[in-house]
Amino acid sequence: MKEEGNRVAQTESLQAGKSLGKWDVIVVGGGTAGVCAAIASARHGARTLLVEQFGFLGGTQAGALVGPVAPNYLADGTPLTLGIGQEIWDRMAALGAAGKRREGRYGPREWPWFDHEMLKCVLDDMVTEAGVEVLFHTWLSAAEVKAGRIDHLAVENKSGRLALQAECYVDATGDADVAYRAGVPCESGRPSDGLNQPASLRFTLGNVDWERAARFLREQGLTHVELPTVSYAEGGGAKELESLIKKAIADGCVSAETMRYFQFFALDGRPGEVTFNCPELRLKDPCDAFELSRALVEGRRRIRELIRFCRKYLVGFENCYLVSIAPMLGVRSSRRIRGRVTLTAEDVLSGRKFPDAVARNNWPPDIHSPREGEGLVLEEKKMKLAPGDYCDIPYGCLVPEGVTNLLVAGRCISATFEAQAAIRISRVCQALGQAAGTAAALCAIGGYRTDELDGRIVHETLARDGLFA
């Protein structure tokens, strides 16, 4: 596990730039968690600013093409996440931009597809209706900390360097960028060697004859696989494709590393399109700018290999073309804060409950191997919760050490490497965002420090707001 340390914010010589006034709450990161945080904060009466590095909201779901939405349901169909996240998908479904929940071989499959582009529009509408102010194309530069509180954030955009101030801040960057710059101790990777899960650079192909493709895949023996999803991993998944993949590797069409993980989903609502959750890019640190840049170049090279493979070896893909490559990596793990409470794999797998629960989860630790050939970190028989059970995520996991007006939402909350692999799914991140935004508003308006606020009050407020079934 790579120790990021109790880093002092490098702001001594900071020229903060023009001040734009002061908000009650500033949310940094307009992704899966950040949008819900900003909406929740504004609905609770806080003047709220949402800062986003891209020109659209939606984060990995819109920018990294991450989908479909992983289910977060009990075996009897009871949803574990409602609230603002559910509002988003209900709006998408009403527009015909998301598939409705359906039963599958392995239980409920929630939102089996959604339109990544329409999601951007729906989120624009929802933050506008809530009264959230938005700054697009804005990058965080530094966090100025005074007496254990963030005094202001320095950001860069077309207007130059700006100083943004608030009573309370929410870090929804995914990589704990605000917390790290504010000196919060962080960890990254697994304890043994500091390696994170691989990222994926996703892409979409068009002009796929899915009827012919599905028939071909069934002829290969994929009768147990729930089409339109195909997932092959070295030594597992759609094993029936293994001989075909090995032939393609032997022919020099595609490299063995590129084919270690191969997964795609046909998009029911976008006929002829198939989206890919690959290639996987191992041994990359998503918080190292040079490694991130090399990963994107490598990913685009491997995508061309995958297109060659599909055209040559998969029936129905012969005339496919590249529709889009995600503008951002789909990062599974990076920095995690050290908080008042740290969620563990034991908490997840035992279904531990907390009185200050702000989110619920029954997705197992879903660990993609940091090194080739390792398989899963936890034994398969230990990977899942008991049927019908779930674990709670307590408020303390959102409260970082050392900074008293900051909350963290999304996959970078305080959790071990294995536990983070379970709670990183989008529905849980939406719940964590709503919780952080709600708590931030309560702190800003009520004058509380984030470590003073009783998490049971946050839980009760979220329950009244309809987050829990």
Side-chain angles (χ1 to χ4, degrees):
M1 177 168 57
K2 185 169 67 177
E3 175 65 52
E4 296 286 356
N6 197 355
R7 179 178 177 273
V8 177
Q10 298 175 0
T11 54
E12 290 82 356
S13 61
L14 174 67
Q15 298 299 314
K18 181 181 178 181
S19 174
L20 298 182
K22 192 170 186 178
W23 284 264
D24 295 320
V25 174
I26 293 177
V27 179
V28 182
T32 307
V35 165
C36 293
I39 293 171
S41 171
R43 287 181 179 178
H44 279 278
R47 185 185 176 213
T48 304
L49 175 67
L50 178 57
V51 178
E52 168 54 41
Q53 64 179 331
F54 290 109
F56 54 84
L57 302 174
T60 56
Q61 290 186 319
L65 306 182
V66 172
V69 179
N72 195 30
Y73 281 84
L74 295 180
D76 64 2
T78 301
L80 293 175
T81 305
L82 292 172
I84 295 171
Q86 188 66 43
E87 291 179 43
I88 292 170
W89 299 119
D90 286 346
R91 287 203 185 198
M92 290 284 285
L95 290 170
K100 295 181 179 179
R101 178 184 170 214
R102 65 182 181 217
E103 296 297 319
R105 178 183 176 88
Y106 303 105
R109 291 298 302 271
E110 187 179 15
W111 313 111
W113 72 273
F114 65 91
D115 189 315
H116 305 276
E117 296 302 317
M118 188 56 70
L119 178 62
K120 300 173 185 177
C121 302
V122 167
L123 298 181
D124 279 343
D125 291 345
M126 292 185 68
V127 297
T128 300
E129 292 164 11
V132 176
E133 297 177 81
V134 181
L135 265 181
F136 286 124
H137 294 299
T138 300
W139 281 82
L140 173 71
S141 296
E144 178 73 39
V145 177
K146 296 180 180 179
R149 291 174 57 85
I150 296 177
D151 178 75
H152 67 266
L153 303 178
V155 301
E156 303 276 354
N157 59 23
K158 286 289 188 181
S159 298
R161 174 163 283 199
L162 305 175
L164 306 178
Q165 284 191 301
E167 290 295 329
C168 194
Y169 300 82
V170 175
D171 184 341
T173 62
D175 297 318
D177 289 332
V178 178
Y180 179 67
R181 284 164 173 77
V184 173
C186 296
E187 297 170 348
S188 181
R190 58 187 181 181
S192 59
D193 52 19
L195 292 180
N196 280 289
Q197 296 187 62
S200 288
L201 184 61
R202 301 178 73 138
F203 66 101
T204 300
L205 296 181
N207 199 33
V208 176
D209 186 335
W210 182 249
E211 185 174 332
R212 290 179 60 233
R215 185 164 58 247
F216 167 76
L217 292 168
R218 290 190 179 96
E219 289 170 355
Q220 302 307 302
L222 268 69
T223 54
H224 72 289
V225 174
E226 184 183 338
L227 299 177
T229 300
V230 172
S231 181
Y232 168 82
E234 187 177 45
K239 297 178 182 179
E240 294 81 0
L241 295 180
E242 197 157 49
S243 61
L244 184 150
I245 288 171
K246 287 183 176 179
K247 183 177 188 308
I249 293 170
D251 290 347
C253 175
V254 64
S255 70
E257 176 59 26
T258 296
M259 296 305 295
R260 290 190 196 282
Y261 186 79
F262 179 68
Q263 184 180 55
F264 61 75
F265 310 87
L267 298 176
D268 295 350
R270 297 177 69 102
E273 291 191 10
V274 175
T275 186
F276 289 73
N277 183 21
C278 51
E280 281 195 338
L281 302 161
R282 289 178 174 78
L283 303 179
K284 306 299 180 187
D285 180 356
C287 295
D288 182 301
F290 285 99
E291 287 200 20
L292 177 63
S293 300
R294 287 192 290 268
L296 288 166
V297 172
E298 180 182 342
R300 288 189 281 266
R301 178 184 62 78
R302 290 189 181 180
I303 284 171
R304 284 174 283 173
E305 289 185 40
L306 290 166
I307 294 172
R308 287 198 302 269
F309 167 78
C310 290
R311 286 174 175 167
K312 185 173 181 179
Y313 290 92
L314 298 184
V315 172
F317 285 77
E318 298 90 344
N319 299 309
C320 68
Y321 63 87
L322 181 62
V323 173
S324 62
I325 297 176
M328 64 183 292
L329 281 176
V331 176
R332 294 182 173 88
S333 67
S334 59
R335 292 191 197 107
R336 309 180 305 276
I337 66 160
R338 189 177 299 160
R340 290 178 62 199
V341 178
T342 299
L343 193 73
T344 67
E346 291 73 24
D347 294 333
V348 172
L349 297 172
S350 67
R352 185 176 178 184
K353 308 300 187 292
F354 294 87
D356 60 344
V358 294
R360 295 169 176 168
N361 169 69
N362 71 347
W363 193 255
D366 184 0
I367 303 171
H368 292 231
S369 174
R371 290 188 188 275
E372 60 187 67
E374 288 186 339
L376 297 173
V377 172
L378 300 182
E379 296 177 28
E380 183 66 30
K381 64 181 180 180
K382 298 179 181 178
M383 287 293 289
K384 294 184 179 181
L385 285 151
D389 201 2
Y390 65 90
C391 74
D392 283 339
I393 302 172
Y395 172 68
C397 291
L398 281 59
V399 183
E401 291 183 2
V403 181
T404 61
N405 64 339
L406 175 66
L407 293 164
V408 177
R411 61 177 173 79
C412 52
I413 65 169
S414 183
T416 64
F417 177 78
E418 292 85 359
Q420 187 272 347
I423 57 87
R424 63 183 174 84
I425 64 170
S426 60
R427 291 313 305 268
V428 175
C429 287
Q430 287 175 327
L432 293 171
Q434 183 170 347
T438 299
L442 293 175
C443 288
I445 295 172
Y448 297 106
R449 292 172 23 154
T450 55
D451 59 353
E452 291 176 338
L453 181 64
D454 189 336
R456 291 171 295 183
I457 294 175
V458 182
H459 172 85
E460 291 166 4
T461 304
L462 293 170
R464 288 196 299 270
D465 291 344
L467 179 62
F468 310 116

